[in-house]
Each structure stands twice: as structure tokens, then as C-alpha cells.
Amino acid sequence: MIRAAKDWTDYEILATGDGQKLERWGKLVLLRPDPQVIWHARQDLDAYPGLNARYLRSSSGGGRWELRRGQVDEFDVSRKGLTFRLKLMGFKHTGLFPEQAVNWDAMQHLIASAGRPIRVLNLFAYTGGATVACAKVGAQVTHVDAAKAMVERAKLNASLSAVPNDRIRYIVDDCAKFIAREIRRGNRYDAIVMDPPSYGRGAGKEVWKLEENLCDLVQACTQVLSEKPLFFLINSYTTGLQPTVIENILTIALQRFGGSCESYEIGLPTKENIVLPCGCSGLWQAK
């Protein structure tokens, strides 16, 4: 099952094909590589008349942005009261994954319906999409990421979205080390969300490999859950990882809490009347 992120007015996929996607971000049009797009384009995407910039891969790895039209500085996009300031970042990124709106909506619904204060822990929190979404509906959120620049960007996004300053605690740290300390401190959370990379290195040169470390991290996270947790959400962009793998990890780790678990692909609708797959998620929630 695939869940497509809807209700965007500042973002849409105009066309896809030949390993690329043509996107509108507000008034800007960008062309970026996408490994899922293995079908042929119905038009010459590179020749789109309104194209502002495209990302060019390098044969030696990485790549660069090529400006085509106008000066592309920072730009804002909004959805349902959330506003994010974006820019052309390294490795084709803009600072936001719009398909995550599927998970933002799910978490906001659970928090708003809980009928009690909810403490959320967001690990590998990046620029704060999930953080801002949860805090916007009243949750107290602890935002953890090893990259200081991304944490600063999350603070900006929270401010642009009019989230009160006292709702979010920002931590620059290795996620696994942070969890180990929280276990010792006895701190507890009602909900956990994480979007771990396939591979990464922490500030202290810690090596993260999802297939080797995810299960242990999830097990450790269960030790910082409250007695009545509300939800636990994992998202992944790891190529080849099936949604059921995430569901199995959550089901095994959280079996003592009861509840139920589901997994699904996430994606984005396109103007071509197809859905672009973007990753997969697993969501455990209390009954």
C-alpha cells in the first residue's frame, strides 16, 4: 500500500522520467535526480521553459546545482500552517521531504486526539518537519540531530511556523549516545519518531549502518517510552528495504505495550496521474 502526500499548494511534481523529477517549489521549478524514476520521460524535462535550476551528478560522485533562470536564494513553502525555509543544498537536497506530510498528518491526529500532554522524541530530526508538525498541535518535542546546521534550520522553521519557543528542546548529539544517556537519566517520552540514514558518521566518527544498528536502537528506545506510549514511527529511504521489515522490528520491540502496527510506502502524486514512490514507514500506535 502506498500513501501519497496531498494538500500541498506550494509543492507539486510536474513531470518525471529518465531518472529525474521536475518539481515546483512555490514559484521555483527544480529538476533533480530520483533513483526510483526508471521509466522514460514524456517530454524533455531539461528543456522546460520555466526551469530555475537543475542538479547535475558528477561521474566522480556528488554533484552540483546549475542555475538556469534567475537567482535562486532561500525560499519558503507552506502547508496547513507549517512554513519551511529551504535552499539548494548539497547532494540535491532542499532541506525538506514533502512526502513526509503523510506522516505529519498521522502524528498530528494522534497527538490532538490523545486527550493528554504528549512528549515526543524526534531522532535524526534533520530540519524539523516532524518536530514542527508535532509541536504545532501542542506536543512537547525533543529534537535530536548530529548536524548543528540542520538543528539551526529546524529552529528557523519552528519560528516561521509560529511554534512557541518552549515547546521544543534542541539537542546536537549522536542519537544512540543520547538515548543511552536518557536511559540512565530516567527520562520518558510518550512518542518516538525517527528517520535514520542508510549510512552515516557522527561527530565523534561513530559509524551508523541501518541494517546493523536499527534494531538495537529501537530496542534501546523502548526503555525511554512512558508506561502508556502513544506511537512509534520509523521512516526510511534505504533502497531495497521493504516496509514489512520496519513493521516487524516495531512489532517485536513493542510487543509488551500491546497496540497495533502497520507499514506502508509513502509517495507523491504527480501531474502525470501516477504516484512517485519515495520511501517507506512503519507506525506502531496504542489501541
Side-chain angles (χ1 to χ4, degrees), residues 89-106:
M89 298 183 175
F91 196 63
K92 77 179 181 179
H93 294 309
T94 64
L96 188 71
F97 294 87
E99 63 273 10
Q100 285 300 322
V102 166
N103 289 327
W104 302 341
D105 289 347

Side-chain angles (χ1 to χ4, degrees), residues 90-127:
F91 196 63
K92 77 179 181 179
H93 294 309
T94 64
L96 188 71
F97 294 87
E99 63 273 10
Q100 285 300 322
V102 166
N103 289 327
W104 302 341
D105 289 347
M107 291 186 290
Q108 285 188 323
H109 173 73
L110 290 169
I111 293 166
S113 303
R116 58 187 171 99
I118 298 298
R119 296 185 66 201
V120 176
L121 174 61
N122 187 8
L123 301 173
F124 309 98
Y126 194 46
T127 59

Side-chain angles (χ1 to χ4, degrees), residues 131-142:
T131 293
V132 174
C134 292
K136 187 70 175 181
V137 292
Q140 294 289 329
V141 184
T142 296

Side-chain angles (χ1 to χ4, degrees), residues 15-53:
T16 61
D18 299 318
Q20 300 184 97
K21 57 186 176 185
L22 185 69
E23 312 162 289
R24 179 183 64 82
W25 298 79
K27 296 180 179 180
L28 291 176
V29 177
L30 306 179
L31 182 61
R32 297 192 292 164
D34 192 302
Q36 299 291 343
V37 183
I38 64 172
W39 52 88
H40 292 307
R42 304 179 193 180
Q43 58 182 289
D44 185 353
L45 304 185
D46 189 55
Y48 186 79
L51 182 61
N52 295 99

Side-chain angles (χ1 to χ4, degrees), residues 5-285:
K6 301 177 181 179
D7 301 320
W8 277 103
T9 57
D10 283 352
Y11 176 84
E12 64 179 335
I13 296 180
L14 304 173
T16 61
D18 299 318
Q20 300 184 97
K21 57 186 176 185
L22 185 69
E23 312 162 289
R24 179 183 64 82
W25 298 79
K27 296 180 179 180
L28 291 176
V29 177
L30 306 179
L31 182 61
R32 297 192 292 164
D34 192 302
Q36 299 291 343
V37 183
I38 64 172
W39 52 88
H40 292 307
R42 304 179 193 180
Q43 58 182 289
D44 185 353
L45 304 185
D46 189 55
Y48 186 79
L51 182 61
N52 295 99
R54 67 169 299 187
Y55 188 84
L56 299 174
R57 288 194 181 280
S58 170
S59 59
S60 59
R64 63 182 178 85
W65 285 98
E66 177 188 76
L67 298 184
R68 289 291 187 85
R69 179 172 173 265
Q71 180 64 38
V72 181
D73 297 311
E74 295 188 344
F75 52 100
D76 293 355
V77 297
S78 298
R79 178 185 183 272
K80 292 185 175 181
L82 307 181
T83 298
F84 305 96
R85 182 152 297 167
L86 312 179
K87 66 177 182 177
L88 304 185
M89 298 183 175
F91 196 63
K92 77 179 181 179
H93 294 309
T94 64
L96 188 71
F97 294 87
E99 63 273 10
Q100 285 300 322
V102 166
N103 289 327
W104 302 341
D105 289 347
M107 291 186 290
Q108 285 188 323
H109 173 73
L110 290 169
I111 293 166
S113 303
R116 58 187 171 99
I118 298 298
R119 296 185 66 201
V120 176
L121 174 61
N122 187 8
L123 301 173
F124 309 98
Y126 194 46
T127 59
T131 293
V132 174
C134 292
K136 187 70 175 181
V137 292
Q140 294 289 329
V141 184
T142 296
H143 175 108
V144 185
D145 197 280
K148 183 178 180 180
M150 296 301 100
V151 173
E152 292 301 316
R153 179 68 51 164
K155 292 179 182 179
L156 175 59
N157 290 333
S159 176
L160 292 171
S161 299
V163 173
N165 293 334
D166 60 357
R167 285 192 189 166
I168 304 175
R169 179 171 65 125
Y170 300 96
I171 306 291
V172 179
D173 201 355
D174 173 80
C175 290
K177 289 183 176 179
F178 176 79
I179 288 297
R181 285 195 293 272
E182 289 294 87
I183 292 172
R184 293 194 296 269
R185 294 168 181 149
N187 289 333
R188 296 292 181 265
Y189 300 89
D190 304 296
I192 296 175
V193 54
M194 64 171 69
D195 193 347
S198 300
Y199 177 87
R201 287 185 178 273
K205 297 185 179 181
E206 305 89 351
V207 176
W208 165 272
K209 294 182 179 180
L210 184 138
E211 67 274 17
E212 296 179 6
N213 302 123
L214 179 60
C215 188
D216 288 342
L217 178 61
V218 173
Q219 291 282 358
C221 284
T222 64
Q223 298 181 60
V224 300
L225 284 172
S226 62
E227 293 183 1
K228 295 182 179 180
L230 183 63
F231 66 81
F232 197 131
L233 190 148
I234 302 174
N235 184 78
S236 176
Y237 291 100
T238 300
T239 302
L241 183 71
Q242 299 297 318
T244 304
V245 173
I246 298 177
E247 182 175 342
N248 290 346
I249 290 173
L250 286 170
T251 298
I252 292 170
L254 297 165
Q255 57 186 337
R256 66 187 175 92
F257 295 104
S260 61
C261 192
E262 58 182 337
S263 58
Y264 45 90
E265 288 184 84
I266 58 173
L268 289 163
T270 75
K271 294 193 73 174
E272 301 170 310
N273 294 319
I274 60 174
V275 176
L276 176 63
C278 300
C280 62
S281 298
L283 174 63
W284 175 93
Q285 56 186 299

